[in-house]
Amino acid sequence: MLALMLLSQPVQAFEVMVKDSGAAMRWPSFPVAWSVNAQNNAGLDPNMAAVVAQRAAEAWEVDGTAVKLSYLGTTNARTSGHDGQAAVYFVDQEWPWDESLLAMTSSYSDSSGAFLGFDIAVNTRDHDWALDGNSELMDLQNTLTHEWGHVLGLGHSEHDELATMHASASPGEVHKRDLSQDDINGLFQIYAAEVDIPMAGCTAIPKSPKGMVWLGVLASILLINRRRASS
Ligand SMILES: [Zn+2]
């Protein structure tokens, strides 16, 4: 009986972000407005880069949630400070984080866990990017879709390699452009609390990080609530 029940339940890999106090981090209301500074020295067409950023955001506007990420247009903002202007921007020169990181989402929240603002920085200093899934380059939409998950309060899905919120990506990878069921379950956990998400154990598969690069969230600000069951 128990085995049958376990088999019928999906494995949960997603994690949600919480404050020190244990309060879950979430947007208290939508829409959340944002802009793009698409200027870059990486050869990415600015207009197409802005379109790709919008496509990545739209992936999270899932039916059954109130999630709405409203694009305001372009901006000159290019900082991760809590400046009241949420922006996606490219860093061609002075990338302040680890060089292995493809992108970094910085989030700001109050003591209740309500998000106040965010920025997404894309590392064009250390990585080569494409907009079309070129097999030798990192795909911008693939990475930005992942970063938008952090903006909404999701951590990393360590045990679901096909999840958008899995922490690493490879050149040419595009599957993170589309949410997996695990990502959707995580989104509903945060924004549709009445939906019951089944819990089940999952098995960790050790994996070499060799050849992989990482998708970052600013961990000094955010704590990750590890929700996976022990294997
Ligand atoms: Zn990440």
Side-chain angles (χ1 to χ4, degrees):
M1 190 62 161
L2 182 61
L4 271 177
M5 286 176 63
L6 287 172
L7 283 172
S8 68
Q9 293 178 340
V11 171
Q12 176 184 311
F14 70 82
E15 298 176 350
V16 300
M17 304 194 301
V18 297
K19 306 280 290 186
D20 289 343
S21 64
M25 301 177 75
R26 65 195 298 278
W27 290 95
S29 63
F30 292 100
V32 170
W34 60 283
S35 306
V36 170
N37 184 340
Q39 298 308 311
N40 68 89
N41 294 330
L44 298 172
D45 177 79
N47 292 328
M48 279 308 300
V51 168
V52 158
Q54 292 168 71
R55 287 186 190 143
E58 287 163 4
W60 291 96
E61 295 176 343
V62 175
D63 287 349
T65 74
V67 174
K68 181 69 183 166
L69 303 166
S70 293
Y71 178 59
L72 295 181
T74 55
T75 176
N76 291 323
R78 196 192 284 270
T79 68
S80 64
H82 181 28
D83 52 8
Q85 179 145 43
V88 177
Y89 64 101
F90 298 92
V91 179
D92 295 317
Q93 293 179 351
E94 296 187 19
W95 178 258
W97 300 289
D98 191 284
E99 65 182 18
S100 67
L101 289 169
L102 290 168
M104 179 63 82
T105 296
S106 304
S107 297
Y108 312 93
S109 60
D110 68 17
S111 58
S112 76
F115 282 125
L116 303 170
F118 72 92
D119 292 289
I120 299 174
V122 178
N123 183 357
T124 41
R125 186 192 71 174
D126 300 303
H127 302 280
D128 296 323
W129 296 86
L131 304 174
D132 61 357
N134 183 307
S135 63
E136 317 234 314
L137 306 174
M138 303 310 302
D139 184 73
L140 183 65
Q141 187 176 340
N142 193 69
T143 289
L144 286 180
T145 309
H146 175 96
E147 298 305 317
W148 280 112
H150 290 318
V151 168
L152 290 167
L154 284 169
H156 285 145
S157 290
E158 193 176 334
H159 298 303
D160 186 344
E161 293 187 18
L162 296 179
T164 293
M165 294 315 296
H166 194 64
S168 59
S170 314
E173 180 188 290
V174 294
H175 68 75
K176 286 186 176 65
R177 292 179 177 186
D178 301 305
L179 303 190
S180 72
Q181 189 59 50
D182 182 62
D183 302 306
I184 292 169
N185 289 347
L187 192 68
F188 272 75
Q189 172 86 14
I190 301 172
Y191 294 107
E194 70 276 12
V195 176
D196 185 40
I197 305 297
M199 304 278 288
C202 51
T203 306
I205 302 168
K207 180 174 160 183
S208 165
K210 225 176 180 179
M212 309 291 279
V213 285
W214 302 91
L215 300 151
V217 63
L218 201 51
S220 60
I221 293 178
L222 308 170
L223 285 178
I224 306 301
N225 179 25
R226 299 193 178 278
R227 289 186 158 263
R228 65 184 185 275
S230 56
S231 56

